[in-house]
Amino acid sequence: MLRIENLTAEVEGKPILKGVTLEIPDGEVHAIMGPNGAGKSTLSYALSGREGYEITGGSVLLNGQDLLEMEPEERAAAGLFLAFQYPVELPGVGNANFLRTALNAIRRTRGEAEVDAMQFLKLARARMKELSMPEDMLKRGVNVGFSGGEKKRNEILQMALLQPKIAILDETDSGLDIDALKIVADGVNAMRGPAFSALVITHYQRLLNHIVPDRVHVLADGRIVASGGPELAQRLEAEGYAGVLEEAA
Amino acid sequence: MNSVTPSGNAAAFVHRYAGLAGRLPGASIPEIRKLREAAAETLVAGGLPSRRVEAWRYTDLTPMLRAEFREALTAVDEAVELPAKRAERRAVFVDGRFRADLSDLDGLVAGSLAEVIETVAGRLNSIASASQPMVTLNTLLFEDGLVLEVPEGTDAGRLELLSVASGETASTLHPRHLIRLGRGAQLVLLETALSATGARHLHNPVFEIEVAEEARITHVRVQREAESAYHLAHLGVRVAEGGVYDGFVLNAGGRISRSETHLALNGPNATAHLNGAQLVAEGQLADTTTALDHAAPNCASRQTVKTVLAGRSRGVFQGKILVRREAQKTDGYQMNQALLLSEEAEIDSKPQLEIYADDVKCSHGATAGALDENSLFYLRSRGIPAGEARAMLVRAFLQEAVEIVEDEPAREALEEAVSAWWAQHGEAA
């Protein structure tokens, strides 16, 4: 269970989140939709502990653990995963080495045995096949020379390997064609189960046709202004944000 | 010289020469005696360079000139411990002198300079220029070195050149290495410079390397001397038609280390790689200086030099490329990049292109910056602890230079040196 209570945050002294309250029970997928500038990405960075996103109030608990007290790597070990809107390219860091280092870092903190290179390859290959990723993507630098779709699939691959308790997908649909979108959605759906929950941040309803959420929330001007079932997303798609925002105001 | 009272900043060296002259190799050979006397005169007249000399503007030798060293050619530590072999054959120099008992030159036309000095007297300072300060100093005091011939058409394989400074108060070492590859010959020379103790010493090696037509040498230098050491190397290289000099220099030790390469591409279709990396931490300065002379058409040169700086440290890169009028179709590339891990670190970078030919392709670039925060956060968000994430990014930064080295044991030696450096300095960075 991820419990966000009255969370406020600033970027460069400017208040962006103005009291976000949200609960995502285990096993559920929630979507956050909202117009540009609503604070969607700020919420994802604030939750994952990025520098420059200053928390000014509120609390975030993951299964009772205070996330805000933790370093980014500790949040990852606690089970939080952020799929980046713009995955970073890391020339000179091999993708396989990166994935295995991350996996072992997390396994270490969980008190699990590290996997060796052979075990890792076996694991990674199986996941990559599911995501239709060519095997040479393991040998290349992290995200270097990857297409937009390949980068997003690489994010999902990381999620599949690290097995988080909760994943935040920050505009994972941006820049994807319909085939890539389906592959990514299948990857997320494959993770669904009683021990996994997700927060899908998106501007459009399109992704939610493939990853059907249990709940949909509308974020505007740093607050959740409306919540509902999947039908809320369809209404937003049909009517735009204006109507929903007016109702909330 | 004995009659002259030396003065100036190099007086101690000249004085030392006066005392040693009769015992240095070639003392009875007039030609060599003359070279040494001339070097002494140059040093008395002009001294070693101060920062007023343009080529030494960023590298201040004052601490080295003020340091005291033990007299050369005194007793050495016989029981010095050597690192594991990286090649079947190895030439070992301890405190500047060849140690046949520790070396294995089986099947090579190679030996100690001191032993064959008569046969090579005419070659001294024929490739390295006597007017270069570190060549002058070496000429004054060279005590030994490796003489290696790779005959025409032969592949000499891999040879390790190991230089170890031993003892509690180490001396000044001035080896002179003469290496010649005949037409079509091949060699991988993997050089490691180490200190057996933390004692201060000066290592002032000079290489004179001749690469004949279609010959190829890979020359990887791994300098991991003590943090109190001074390492002032000069490499003179001449490459003939179709020849390749594939060089890499790692400066990862010493209080002041400078590796200066002067390379001439004298025949068409010749290639030079002058790659390198420098790792400096608190109180250290590392300097890679190169002068590349494109003197013939259709030649290619490649240069990638990366510097990582931690603490209060200094890095220097000076890269001159001269493309002569006759060197048409030159293909040159130079890139130097610095990663500053501390706000108190400083990099001085001076690319210098002088192009007189009109049909050439020459590009160069320089960057300096801190670790990328986005990259760091990305790694940490995947559970990788901050220290490990930083290490990965530093290694990745260096990788672009290191991966150019094709010889696997050489690349391993470089990677190991990088890991050792990070293990020692990464925490503070």
Side-chain angles (χ1 to χ4, degrees):
Chain A
M1 155 92 77
L2 181 73
R3 188 191 294 255
I4 304 170
E5 226 170 86
N6 204 20
L7 184 68
T8 56
E10 296 181 353
V11 179
E12 287 168 359
K14 194 177 164 218
I16 306 287
L17 300 183
K18 298 172 182 170
V20 174
T21 297
L22 189 62
E23 265 187 32
I24 307 175
D26 289 350
E28 288 194 8
V29 171
H30 288 207
I32 285 198
M33 301 184 72
N36 286 329
K40 300 194 298 290
S41 283
T42 298
L43 177 61
S44 68
Y45 287 139
L47 292 177
S48 51
R50 187 179 191 130
E51 244 176 77
Y53 292 77
E54 208 196 325
I55 309 295
T56 49
S59 66
V60 179
L61 300 178
L62 178 58
N63 297 335
Q65 285 181 280
D66 184 356
L67 279 188
L68 300 180
E69 285 294 308
M70 300 181 191
E71 296 293 330
E73 57 267 35
E74 293 167 335
R75 300 183 195 204
L80 180 79
F81 181 89
L82 170 64
F84 282 57
Q85 182 178 6
Y86 303 108
V88 180
E89 294 188 15
L90 303 174
V93 180
N95 207 23
N97 177 37
F98 161 64
L99 294 168
R100 187 158 79 92
T101 305
L103 179 60
N104 280 335
I106 284 184
R107 290 179 70 95
R108 258 200 318 270
T109 54
R110 289 181 189 163
E112 295 167 4
E114 295 188 23
V115 296
D116 65 26
M118 289 307 291
Q119 292 167 314
F120 168 76
L121 271 182
K122 222 176 130 188
L123 259 170
R125 279 187 184 135
R127 301 293 187 190
M128 288 174 79
K129 217 174 142 191
E130 291 164 10
L131 291 164
S132 307
M133 291 170 75
E135 228 180 78
D136 79 322
M137 281 172 69
L138 278 181
K139 291 183 192 141
R140 285 147 67 183
V142 176
N143 295 325
V144 178
F146 286 24
S147 70
E150 284 173 331
K151 283 181 184 170
K152 295 297 171 77
R153 269 183 274 175
N154 205 28
E155 294 292 290
I156 302 303
L157 172 64
Q158 291 165 42
M159 181 179 76
L161 286 169
L162 300 180
Q163 294 283 317
K165 294 191 181 95
I166 176 149
I168 303 166
L169 290 90
D170 187 5
E171 309 243 357
T172 296
D173 49 338
S174 68
L176 291 189
D177 62 31
I178 189 69
D179 292 330
L181 188 75
K182 270 190 173 150
I183 292 169
V184 164
D186 288 349
V188 176
N189 289 331
M191 302 271 305
R192 289 179 87 155
F196 174 81
S197 55
L199 183 60
V200 180
I201 295 174
T202 181
H203 191 72
Y204 303 104
Q205 190 243 341
R206 192 174 68 146
L207 179 64
L208 304 181
N209 290 335
H210 301 279
I211 305 172
V212 179
D214 298 292
R215 299 281 293 164
V216 175
H217 310 278
V218 179
L219 184 72
D221 193 27
R223 284 186 193 92
I224 304 285
V225 295
S227 295
E231 72 287 347
L232 179 56
Q234 277 152 19
R235 208 186 124 201
L236 284 170
E237 188 75 2
E239 299 172 15
Y241 285 105
V244 176
L245 294 186
E246 246 168 62
E247 239 169 67
Chain B
M1 276 318 296
N2 296 7
S3 55
V4 179
T5 306
S7 61
N9 69 7
F13 293 102
V14 177
H15 186 75
R16 170 165 305 167
Y17 168 67
L20 286 173
R23 286 186 286 150
L24 288 168
S28 59
I29 303 169
E31 209 176 343
I32 289 179
R33 194 90 190 201
K34 238 166 90 185
L35 281 181
R36 297 210 198 252
E37 301 285 334
E41 276 164 34
T42 303
L43 289 173
V44 169
L48 285 164
S50 73
R51 293 185 56 208
R52 284 194 295 274
V53 177
E54 181 61 24
W56 293 82
R57 206 173 132 192
Y58 304 114
T59 296
D60 184 1
L61 293 177
T62 306
M64 188 273 283
L65 294 168
R66 287 195 183 140
E68 279 184 30
F69 299 100
R70 189 185 62 174
E71 170 135 329
L73 300 186
T74 49
V76 295
D77 181 0
E78 293 290 328
V80 63
E81 222 173 287
L82 300 182
K85 278 188 166 187
R86 292 195 186 272
E88 272 186 36
R89 273 90 43 89
R90 114 195 300 195
V92 178
F93 289 80
V94 177
D95 294 332
R97 277 171 295 161
F98 181 66
R99 287 281 294 270
D101 57 324
L102 302 173
S103 301
D104 180 0
L105 299 174
D106 209 26
L108 294 175
V109 187
S112 147
L113 176 82
E115 283 168 27
V116 298
I117 186 89
E118 265 165 275
T119 63
V120 297
R123 282 167 59 192
L124 295 165
N125 295 358
S126 66
I127 299 177
S129 163
S131 66
Q132 288 296 323
M134 290 311 128
V135 179
T136 312
L137 183 60
N138 176 282
T139 302
L140 183 76
L141 289 164
F142 73 83
E143 62 288 278
D144 207 344
L146 173 70
V147 178
L148 172 64
E149 300 275 337
V150 187
E152 185 174 328
T154 55
D155 182 350
R158 190 180 305 111
L159 171 68
E160 195 178 3
L161 171 59
L162 191 60
S163 160
V164 185
S166 79
E168 286 308 315
T169 48
S171 179
T172 70
L173 331 172
H174 309 267
R176 172 71 60 116
H177 306 295
L178 303 178
I179 294 159
R180 197 152 67 176
L181 280 80
R183 177 186 280 270
Q186 293 198 40
L187 171 71
V188 174
L189 184 65
L190 173 49
E191 183 195 349
T192 306
L194 294 171
S195 310
T197 69
R200 171 177 64 230
H201 61 85
L202 164 64
H203 186 190
N204 164 223
V206 168
F207 287 81
E208 296 194 70
I209 301 175
E210 182 158 10
V211 182
E213 291 81 1
E214 308 296 333
R216 178 189 181 100
I217 180 172
T218 294
H219 183 192
V220 175
R221 312 192 66 222
V222 182
Q223 187 273 105
R224 299 175 63 178
E225 294 179 348
E227 279 172 47
S228 55
Y230 300 96
H231 184 95
L232 298 165
H234 186 101
L235 288 74
V237 186
R238 208 152 60 191
V239 187
E241 180 168 356
V244 178
Y245 177 82
D246 174 21
F248 190 103
V249 177
L250 175 73
N251 274 329
R255 179 167 175 190
I256 296 175
S257 64
R258 167 150 158 152
S259 190
E260 180 162 356
T261 305
H262 289 234
L263 182 146
L265 294 167
N266 285 338
N269 301 307
T271 302
H273 296 166
L274 295 179
N275 300 311
Q278 315 196 88
L279 310 174
V280 280
E282 186 69 25
Q284 293 181 298
L285 180 151
D287 172 342
T288 292
T289 293
T290 59
L292 184 58
D293 181 355
H294 275 272
N298 291 306
C299 291
S301 61
R302 293 282 176 274
Q303 184 166 33
T304 298
V305 177
K306 303 253 187 175
T307 305
V308 178
L309 303 103
R312 265 169 304 180
S313 61
R314 304 263 321 265
V316 180
F317 171 81
Q318 305 185 101
K320 184 174 172 180
I321 300 177
L322 167 65
V323 181
R324 293 179 192 265
R325 193 181 301 279
E326 55 271 36
Q328 297 294 354
K329 305 280 181 197
T330 286
D331 176 5
Y333 171 81
Q334 180 191 79
M335 174 59 75
N336 81 90
Q337 296 180 303
L339 179 59
L340 297 109
L341 300 175
S342 133
E343 290 190 358
E344 293 167 301
E346 180 183 326
I347 177 84
D348 292 290
S349 162
K350 194 171 84 174
Q352 204 184 342
L353 275 68
E354 245 178 75
I355 301 175
Y356 298 100
D358 50 23
D359 184 12
V360 303
K361 197 170 83 186
C362 269
S363 60
H364 74 104
T367 66
L371 274 184
D372 179 49
E373 286 297 331
N374 277 338
S375 305
L376 205 52
F377 175 65
Y378 191 62
L379 292 172
R380 295 180 70 190
S381 77
R382 297 307 182 242
I384 300 171
E388 205 174 339
R390 267 196 286 274
M392 282 175 88
L393 293 176
V394 168
R395 209 163 280 158
F397 170 78
L398 293 168
Q399 187 59 20
E400 204 187 334
V402 172
E403 72 185 5
I404 302 171
V405 176
E406 282 173 23
D407 185 73
E408 210 166 301
R411 213 173 47 238
E412 276 167 20
L414 291 170
E415 281 163 4
E416 200 182 290
V418 169
S419 296
W421 184 82
W422 185 261
Q424 201 181 342
H425 301 289
E427 193 88 15

